[in-house]
Amino acid sequence: MWCQICEQGNVIPAVIKQLKQKVWLCDECEATWFRLEDVNKEKALLYVTYMKSKNLPPLWDELELLD
Ligand SMILES: [Zn+2]
């Protein structure tokens, strides 16, 4: 799915392994949504910001990509 925030990236489904939290995030700008129906509609969170708020390292290694 095309990211309308950066207009360069692809929004992909993933699970944050340590939280078992499903997310959709852009592989370019790292905009993050928690529900598929919110992607490109609701305001996005940044992956880095969300991970920091959970005291987790904001690395792609923390994700299990579902695509
Ligand atoms: Zn993007």
Side-chain angles (χ1 to χ4, degrees):
M1 190 185 326
W2 188 245
C3 176
Q4 291 177 15
I5 291 181
C6 64
E7 299 186 330
Q8 292 177 43
N10 199 21
V11 178
I12 53 177
V15 172
I16 300 170
K17 289 185 244 178
Q18 295 201 56
L19 301 174
K20 295 184 169 57
Q21 167 78 61
K22 181 140 189 215
V23 294
W24 284 261
L25 82 167
C26 171
D27 61 8
E28 191 66 37
C29 69
E30 301 188 342
T32 299
W33 295 268
F34 298 104
R35 299 189 319 161
L36 179 60
E37 52 266 47
D38 291 342
V39 172
N40 286 326
K41 295 185 186 119
E42 296 288 316
K43 193 168 176 288
L45 222 76
L46 283 179
Y47 179 61
V48 172
T49 306
Y50 182 67
M51 292 299 270
K52 282 185 179 165
S53 79
K54 299 292 181 187
N55 288 318
L56 292 170
L59 305 173
W60 282 72
D61 282 352
E62 298 293 322
L63 294 167
E64 183 184 341
L65 302 181
L66 301 177
D67 225 2

